[in-house]
Amino acid sequence: MMTLMAVVFAIAANAQYNTNYYNQYGSNIGSSTTRSNYGGGYTTDYYDQYGGSTGSATTRSNYGGGTTTNYYDQYGGSTGSATTRSNYGGGTTTNYYDQYGGSTGSATTRSNYGGGTTTNYYDQYGGSIGSSTTRQNYGGGTTTTYYDQYGNSLGTSSSR
């Protein structure tokens, strides 16, 4: 799920976001830091619960609209990519690909009436593999809760 998590964070220019990930029992399972790049776009570095690097992702805007994200392992090798575009009816769709360009799934994100967003994740065949909800915290930052396809909690992440 680590690569899917990147979809839910909105990154402002010249900012750095720190995110902590937790399993369904509240134990820390990793973290990430996101920073803006001087040439545009942003880079996210992922870490395990001990602070060791597990990979990174770089996101940039496309000329025709939308964004492209490239994912890398801790050695800099490509592990896949994603493209995100806005939908006419609102929300966004993200398509995920492996390092060879094969589809590995997709995600659709939409705003909720009561605030926050909901993201639904699908495998390459269109079957549901889970969802997440993101809400703003009163003290700042966001909290995202992840669910499997049956609605069971898989864990949370807290971003600030």
Side-chain angles (χ1 to χ4, degrees):
M1 288 287 287
M2 190 66 79
T3 56
L4 296 178
M5 292 176 182
V7 156
V8 299
F9 304 120
I11 308 303
N14 301 315
Q16 177 168 305
Y17 285 76
N18 298 307
T19 302
N20 291 298
Y21 303 102
Y22 306 90
N23 64 18
Q24 63 267 52
Y25 307 109
S27 298
N28 184 279
I29 56 173
S31 63
S32 65
T33 59
T34 300
R35 65 183 188 283
S36 298
N37 298 328
Y38 289 108
Y42 54 91
T43 295
T44 301
D45 294 306
Y46 297 98
Y47 305 92
D48 63 22
Q49 63 267 49
Y50 307 109
S53 174
T54 58
S56 63
T58 59
T59 299
R60 59 177 172 74
S61 297
N62 299 325
Y63 288 108
T67 61
T68 294
T69 301
N70 291 295
Y71 300 102
Y72 305 92
D73 62 24
Q74 62 268 49
Y75 307 109
S78 174
T79 59
S81 64
T83 59
T84 300
R85 59 178 172 76
S86 296
N87 299 326
Y88 288 109
T92 62
T93 294
T94 300
N95 292 298
Y96 297 94
Y97 305 93
D98 62 23
Q99 63 266 51
Y100 307 108
S103 174
T104 58
S106 63
T108 59
T109 299
R110 59 177 173 75
S111 297
N112 298 325
Y113 289 109
T117 61
T118 295
T119 301
N120 292 295
Y121 303 103
Y122 306 92
D123 63 22
Q124 63 267 49
Y125 307 109
S128 174
I129 56 173
S131 64
S132 64
T133 58
T134 299
R135 59 178 174 76
Q136 297 287 327
N137 298 327
Y138 289 108
T142 61
T143 295
T144 300
T145 304
Y146 301 91
Y147 305 92
D148 64 19
Q149 63 267 51
Y150 306 109
N152 299 309
S153 176
L154 297 172
T156 62
S157 63
S158 178
S159 181
R160 56 178 174 78

